[in-house]
Amino acid sequence: MTLKKIFDKMGIRYSEDNIYFQTINSILSASDKINMPLNLQMMLAEPKNEVMVHFPVELDNGDWEIFKGYRVQHNNILGPYKGGIRFHPEVSLDHIKALAAMMTIKCALVKLPYGGAKGGVRIDSRNYSVDEMERMTRRFTSALGGNIGPSYDIPAPDVGTNAQIMAWMADTYINLSSPHNRLNSRAVVTGKPLAFGGSEGRDKATGQGLVFVVAELLPEMGYDLKKINFSILGFGNVGSWGARLLQERGSTMHAVMDHSGALYNANGIDADDLADYSSKNGGIKGYPKADETSEDEFYAADVDLLIPAALEQMITLDRAKILKCKVIAEGGNVPLTPEAEKYVLANGIDVLPAVLCNSGGVTVSYFEWQQNRQASYWSLKKIDAELGKLMVSAANRVKIRAKELDCDMYTAAYSEAMSYIKDAYEIRGIFP
Ligand code: NAD
């Protein structure tokens, strides 16, 4: 059944241009392939909870500002809600709803004991001091109150948030909880600094997971990792780690773009050196060992592999039409618009979907949560080994399902995840 029919049945107004409807549409279309019953499709068509908060923060100059924050909890049939917190001026409810639904799929695909959630605050962090950001984060955490918790909903970093923000969130939560439960309370968020219950390997986890998937799937598609070249859209956490770890395996970065500009060098750009430059200069612009290039030239770069790792839906149909890459490995969530997605698939570009490629972040978050709850410590070697096992298993299950269903990797990944969710619903039944 089409999503429009499901929404009509539920009495909800459907809009094709809306990122949430587009995301749910792809997920539910794939679930048709595994004959998911209509009642389960309806349950997954809308999030379980949508929490919206408005809260005041005192600025350094004594003024007050009211901020808007969100936490959307899409589904928890497999376990506590799990998903990042985004600080960005473009954050909106439908955007967060789409990302929460993706988290449900991602956790199910890797078979983690979690459901899906996402949150955020509409803020341009560049306009605020560190003290203001700390007060805002703490006040947001207290406004969320009992809507988050180590056994209920566990946030993590996303665009615009980092280990320091997670530390402020955890510290606020701990201070507001019973003194008898403070050790376990650290597990309320993941992606914390190492000195405060964080995990080895969390910083690079998403890039590392992406490289495990690429290394598993590309050779069978006829590419030798030692010989391929690639371009990266977005050189933040996911993009820069993905680039550095691919480089470690012998691949060469030819083009890269972030919010500050685009670079090209046919002889290769050293990802480690660029990461160092970018962290000191707030972006890649001005890097002296590559040529500055235009946005169009970046998209048109003749590379084997493109890794989009910036914001959602940056690859529009116009941009898709100039791509020369042979494979896209989605580091960021929903990097293509639906039209661009259709175009690239129809034109022979293979796409490894985000729910598979970027699930390394939530997987190492799961390891951090386990360590916090057991008051234990895992070495980086153990983290990498466990991450590798789960990523390779998910990649192979998606590959097998794509063959079984004779479909693209998006449909295969969504069907594989939905099949796991369907089994859980069928075993548990619908309460009461
Ligand atoms: P980040 O904030 O560290 O990096 C984002 C990058 O995108 C930056 O390099 C920024 O310059 C670039 N960017 C922003 N606007 C741009 C524009 N207009 N043009 C070109 N580049 C632009 O964020 P991140 O954590 O690396 O996340 C990137 C994506 O990966 C997001 O979709 C996020 O949801 C997803 N993701 C992240 C993680 C994680 O662990 N960090 C996990 C799963 C998914």
Side-chain angles (χ1 to χ4, degrees):
M1 188 183 263
T2 65
L3 181 67
K4 176 147 184 5
K5 283 192 193 146
I6 292 174
F7 273 75
D8 284 349
K9 195 168 157 56
M10 292 168 72
I12 298 165
R13 243 181 76 212
Y14 177 79
S15 156
E16 266 180 15
D17 301 326
N18 176 302
I19 188 170
Y20 180 65
F21 293 101
Q22 290 166 350
T23 306
I24 284 291
N25 197 19
S26 310
I27 294 173
L28 294 189
S29 306
S31 74
D32 278 343
K33 296 253 180 205
I34 53 154
N35 299 319
M36 189 140 191
L38 178 62
N39 57 0
L40 293 187
Q41 290 189 327
M42 282 165 54
M43 284 198 65
L44 289 152
E46 281 280 52
K48 279 202 162 177
N49 305 310
E50 296 170 21
V51 181
M52 259 193 269
V53 293
H54 298 92
F55 56 94
V57 176
E58 187 173 4
L59 304 180
D60 293 343
N61 66 7
D63 285 351
W64 290 79
E65 204 169 312
I66 306 292
F67 289 92
K68 191 180 189 76
Y70 304 90
R71 187 69 182 166
V72 172
Q73 296 160 336
H74 178 256
N75 187 271
N76 63 346
I77 188 70
L78 298 175
Y81 299 108
K82 184 91 189 78
I85 296 280
R86 178 172 295 200
F87 288 171
H88 195 270
E90 306 285 313
V91 158
S92 72
L93 179 60
D94 282 331
H95 210 119
I96 296 289
K97 281 171 68 176
L99 294 169
M102 295 287 280
M103 285 307 298
T104 299
I105 295 299
K106 225 178 272 185
C107 294
L109 182 59
V110 189
K111 300 194 172 180
L112 304 179
Y114 288 139
K118 199 81 177 190
V121 176
R122 191 184 288 192
I123 182 170
D124 190 343
S125 310
R126 289 171 300 187
N127 299 335
Y128 298 89
S129 70
V130 174
D131 286 350
E132 287 168 338
M133 288 306 292
E134 176 173 352
R135 287 197 291 278
M136 190 282 290
T137 303
R138 288 183 182 279
R139 188 65 202 243
F140 175 50
T141 310
S142 76
L144 288 176
N147 291 296
I148 57 171
S151 305
Y152 179 64
D153 182 357
I154 306 126
D158 188 66
V159 174
T161 54
N162 54 26
Q164 177 61 72
I165 304 274
M166 293 304 114
W168 289 329
M169 285 191 80
D171 184 71
T172 305
Y173 184 84
I174 289 168
N175 274 289
L176 296 175
S177 43
S178 154
H180 299 287
N181 197 24
R182 287 195 170 165
L183 182 62
N184 187 36
S185 295
R186 292 201 297 186
V188 65
V189 294
T190 55
K192 299 180 293 292
L194 258 180
F196 177 35
S199 176
E200 298 284 358
R202 178 60 185 87
D203 200 27
K204 67 164 183 158
T206 308
Q208 180 70 75
L210 182 138
V211 172
F212 280 136
V213 170
V214 164
E216 184 63 20
L217 298 181
L218 254 58
E220 288 181 30
M221 294 159 70
Y223 301 98
D224 178 352
L225 240 55
K226 289 197 180 69
K227 293 191 184 136
I228 64 163
N229 52 53
F230 63 91
S231 59
I232 296 255
L233 169 59
F235 203 67
N237 175 288
V238 180
S240 72
W241 275 112
R244 279 178 275 178
L245 295 165
L246 262 183
Q247 179 171 285
E248 243 177 59
R249 294 192 181 229
S251 313
T252 312
M253 180 161 75
H254 277 191
V256 53
M257 182 162 91
D258 75 354
H259 69 281
S260 67
L263 300 171
Y264 182 79
N265 189 339
N267 297 319
I269 302 170
D270 184 331
D272 289 309
D273 196 42
L274 182 64
D276 190 41
Y277 176 90
S278 170
S279 68
K280 287 181 185 140
N281 294 279
I284 62 171
K285 194 177 173 60
Y287 181 68
K289 297 175 204 165
D291 297 327
E292 281 198 13
T293 187
S294 70
E295 210 173 294
D296 277 358
E297 280 166 343
F298 166 80
Y299 284 108
D302 193 359
V303 289
D304 300 307
L305 174 68
L306 163 65
I307 300 174
L311 301 181
E312 288 73 37
Q313 300 199 330
M314 286 191 59
I315 306 183
T316 55
L317 181 59
D318 286 347
R319 287 168 176 169
K321 282 182 177 167
I322 55 174
L323 293 178
K324 291 204 190 80
C325 64
K326 296 165 192 86
V327 182
I328 297 176
E330 296 185 339
N333 294 310
V334 207
L336 294 106
T337 62
E339 301 78 36
E341 192 180 302
K342 273 192 203 114
Y343 181 86
V344 298
L345 292 175
N347 283 276
I349 298 179
D350 289 308
V351 184
L352 309 181
V355 285
L356 173 62
C357 289
N358 71 23
S359 54
V362 67
T363 304
V364 175
S365 273
Y366 166 55
F367 300 156
E368 177 177 335
W369 183 75
Q370 276 185 286
Q371 290 171 77
N372 289 165
R373 292 176 76 101
Q374 295 158 356
S376 67
Y377 168 82
W378 294 14
S379 66
L380 181 58
K381 195 171 162 208
K382 174 167 171 162
I383 296 276
D384 280 347
E386 295 296 315
L387 176 64
K389 266 191 241 165
L390 293 182
M391 298 304 298
V392 166
S393 158
N396 282 309
R397 280 184 284 109
V398 172
K399 188 179 70 187
I400 291 166
R401 201 167 275 269
K403 278 193 190 130
E404 270 171 18
L405 299 177
D406 189 22
C407 63
D408 60 72
M409 298 288 262
Y410 284 114
T411 310
Y414 294 159
S415 310
E416 174 69 18
M418 289 298 256
S419 165
Y420 194 57
I421 290 171
K422 177 175 162 240
D423 288 352
Y425 268 113
E426 284 176 353
I427 291 160
R428 287 183 61 172
I430 303 293
F431 180 81

